[in-house]
Amino acid sequence: MNKNITCPEILAPAGTLEKLKVAIRYGADAVYIGGQAYGLRSRAGNFSFEEMEEAVAFANEHGAKIYVAANMVTHEGNEKGAGEWFRTLRDIGISAVIVSDPALIAICAAEAPGLAIHLSTQASATNYETLQFWQKLGLERVVLAREVSMQELAEIRKHTDIEIEAFVHGAMCISYSGRCVLSNYMSMRDANRGGCSQSCRWKYDLYDMPFAGERKSINGEIPEEFSMSAVDMSMIEHIPDLIENGVNSFKIEGRMKSIHYVSTVAMVYKKAVNAYLESPASFEAIKQELVDELWKVAQRELDTGFYYGIPDENKQLFGARRKIPEYKFVGEVISYDENSGTAIIRQRNVINEGDTIEFYGPNFRHFETTIQNLRLAETGEKIDRAPNPMELLIIDVPQAVETGDMIRRSGAGLINLYKKEGKVAMANGTH
């Protein structure tokens, strides 16, 4: 292992204040959020200035940082008010802004000195000359384009000492690092100004059109539905390559994901980094456990993006899913009573008496048990089924849990879907 390497930051997404606090509790060293202007996720739970103040205070208490994405492409007039907006972020205590548009970069540098600027992946930085260019302009960090290979990453690191942030987990864009106009055509929503309708995720059909005006679907002859959607990225098995090649920040995609997703993925990558920095052998010993843990959250199929070659047709989503998780997030711990061995939980999905569940918490704590003595927290009434979201319940637990621990209902593991003699078959097993 390279003795000169440093511990990379785990950078998690947060679409809401709740998700931000969960991400930090579960291991994120930094969290990126959106404000109510200049971002690319108009449908995410973007933060008001008051929420940012609370987020910064919470992050400071836990030794974490907050970054704000301001990565839209500005047209004439979009930049109005940006100087005041950036100064407000600086004064609130935001650690850095993530920007792609040179106009916004110039405004931020001139009107909000002291606020660090990180280059967004939207700027498509793919070579070390580009990183050197932005470093000379005063930027502290560059988020690499998702299209950079591991070999290119190594070459970039050899020629520059600017901080490098790289995506390690989450959705891939079918276009070039998010520079897409498909949504503009399909739904009149500008993907580069916060309105992406994710047209690439839609299902499409093939049609036979032998004569003008006639259209006949051939869906019956070709069973797969077609999309332009890429599988998600997961670099959990390749943490050593990323660390050894000098990546300073491991970025997880997903500001619109659930607290179940954010907590699990942040926890797993934090555990992976700590294990590898302890020793390569420590990482290898838990690698499969880390992979299995990631497959407990809802996501698309996983691969390594462009890091080890250009993705082929097998790295696209079409037809039946080949792997799906069989775990569902069902609740979180509100409090634990050591004397009675019971926990008050807030339910998020249906819970039944006798369900097999797994508790998990920060630092990779987890154990399985069954729902026993299920009852309503308000009245103590015993029930067999709790169907109402956000209801407070009491259950018996065989060992101590902590406030903020998560609960998921487990099944028989992963279901692998595969094609056999023209049919889709199902089999339990691991990936």
Side-chain angles (χ1 to χ4, degrees):
M1 184 169 67
N2 182 353
K3 300 301 181 183
N4 297 318
I5 63 174
T6 58
C7 179
E9 165 189 272
I10 302 300
L11 176 56
T16 65
L17 193 56
E18 178 191 31
K19 294 175 188 177
L20 180 145
K21 292 179 178 180
V22 166
I24 292 173
R25 287 194 187 107
Y26 277 76
D29 303 295
V31 176
Y32 64 100
I33 65 176
Q36 295 182 338
Y38 309 110
L40 284 182
R41 286 291 182 268
S42 61
R43 291 179 293 159
N46 294 316
F47 285 58
S48 66
F49 290 140
E50 291 76 18
E51 288 173 322
M52 288 184 189
E53 289 174 349
E54 184 176 346
V56 168
F58 183 86
N60 289 341
E61 290 175 5
H62 293 80
K65 296 179 180 180
I66 307 295
Y67 308 141
V68 174
N71 49 353
M72 72 178 290
V73 174
T74 57
H75 289 231
E76 289 298 336
N78 292 153
E79 79 288 351
K80 290 181 179 178
E84 181 181 356
W85 191 76
F86 284 126
R87 284 193 298 274
T88 302
L89 298 189
R90 179 197 62 189
D91 296 344
I92 286 173
I94 296 299
S95 297
V97 287
I98 307 168
V99 191
S100 65
D101 193 299
L104 291 179
I105 290 173
I107 291 169
C108 183
E111 300 198 32
L115 178 59
I117 304 172
H118 297 172
L119 187 72
S120 169
T121 189
Q122 300 292 125
S124 300
T126 57
N127 57 77
Y128 71 81
E129 290 92 346
T130 296
L131 272 69
Q132 290 173 345
F133 170 84
W134 289 110
Q135 187 174 27
K136 289 176 182 176
L137 290 181
L139 274 65
E140 296 185 2
R141 177 185 292 184
V142 168
V143 186
L144 293 181
R146 288 177 176 89
E147 295 76 25
V148 171
S149 69
M150 191 63 67
Q151 184 177 0
E152 290 170 329
L153 170 59
E155 191 68 15
I156 288 170
R157 177 41 81 210
K158 286 179 185 177
H159 292 88
T160 179
D161 60 357
I162 192 172
E163 289 187 9
I164 292 176
E165 183 177 306
F167 281 92
V168 298
H169 198 92
M172 294 290 288
C173 183
I174 201 67
S175 190
Y176 212 96
S177 284
R179 292 185 162 194
C180 179
V181 294
L182 186 63
S183 175
N184 301 55
Y185 286 102
M186 302 294 286
S187 60
M188 301 296 290
R189 287 167 51 177
D190 192 335
N192 293 292
R193 287 195 282 175
C196 181
S197 59
Q198 299 198 9
S199 305
C200 60
R201 305 290 186 193
W202 299 356
K203 295 296 184 182
Y204 294 88
D205 205 346
L206 290 178
Y207 295 94
D208 181 16
M209 301 177 68
F211 303 103
E214 289 190 14
R215 187 174 73 173
K216 177 185 176 183
S217 170
I218 60 174
N219 190 45
E221 300 173 31
I222 301 178
E224 291 91 351
E225 290 180 297
F226 293 86
S227 76
M228 292 170 277
S229 185
V231 302
D232 285 4
M233 175 194 290
S234 177
M235 289 294 288
I236 192 63
E237 297 183 73
H238 304 281
I239 293 298
D241 284 353
L242 293 165
I243 293 179
E244 294 293 333
N245 282 307
V247 176
N248 301 98
S249 180
F250 287 3
K251 188 167 195 169
I252 299 163
E253 183 276 337
R255 274 190 281 153
M256 297 176 70
K257 298 282 191 173
S258 68
I259 60 171
H260 180 213
Y261 179 91
V262 170
S263 60
T264 300
V265 178
M267 176 180 65
V268 167
Y269 277 90
K270 186 67 172 180
K271 180 70 173 180
V273 166
N274 288 344
Y276 184 73
L277 293 178
E278 179 182 332
S279 73
S282 297
F283 171 75
E284 289 297 325
I286 65 167
K287 184 166 69 174
Q288 188 58 50
E289 186 179 359
L290 296 171
V291 173
D292 292 343
E293 193 74 11
L294 284 178
W295 271 105
K296 293 178 180 179
V297 296
Q299 57 198 334
R300 303 176 188 92
E301 295 173 39
L302 301 174
D303 203 84
T304 55
F306 287 82
Y307 280 114
Y308 300 104
I310 297 175
D312 59 19
E313 69 277 7
N314 295 314
K315 309 299 172 59
Q316 306 299 309
L317 292 176
F318 62 91
R321 286 287 300 270
R322 293 179 285 274
K323 297 183 190 133
I324 58 174
E326 204 186 63
Y327 290 80
K328 182 178 286 293
F329 175 48
V330 295
E332 60 192 310
V333 175
I334 301 302
S335 64
Y336 169 69
D337 187 333
E338 182 179 3
N339 294 324
S340 62
T342 61
I344 296 178
I345 65 173
R346 178 182 290 117
Q347 176 215 15
R348 296 286 184 136
N349 276 296
V350 176
I351 296 176
N352 300 292
E353 178 82 9
D355 281 348
T356 299
I357 59 170
E358 179 184 56
F359 284 91
Y360 73 94
N363 301 314
F364 217 63
R365 294 182 291 104
H366 49 86
F367 69 91
E368 282 198 354
T369 185
T370 56
I371 293 287
Q372 297 183 33
N373 201 14
L374 179 65
R375 51 203 188 275
L376 298 174
E378 185 175 1
T379 64
E381 176 189 354
K382 192 163 188 329
I383 56 175
D384 294 325
R385 187 172 186 268
N388 302 316
M390 307 304 288
E391 195 162 37
L392 293 181
L393 308 169
I394 300 176
I395 60 172
D396 294 347
V397 288
Q399 63 187 70
V401 292
E402 297 179 7
T403 299
D405 284 0
M406 304 288 178
I407 310 164
R408 51 191 166 214
R409 186 172 67 242
S410 58
L414 297 179
I415 295 178
N416 292 330
L417 303 182
Y418 59 93
K419 293 181 181 179
K420 183 178 181 182
E421 296 178 357
K423 299 179 180 179
V424 175
M426 300 175 63
N428 290 331
T430 56
H431 54 76

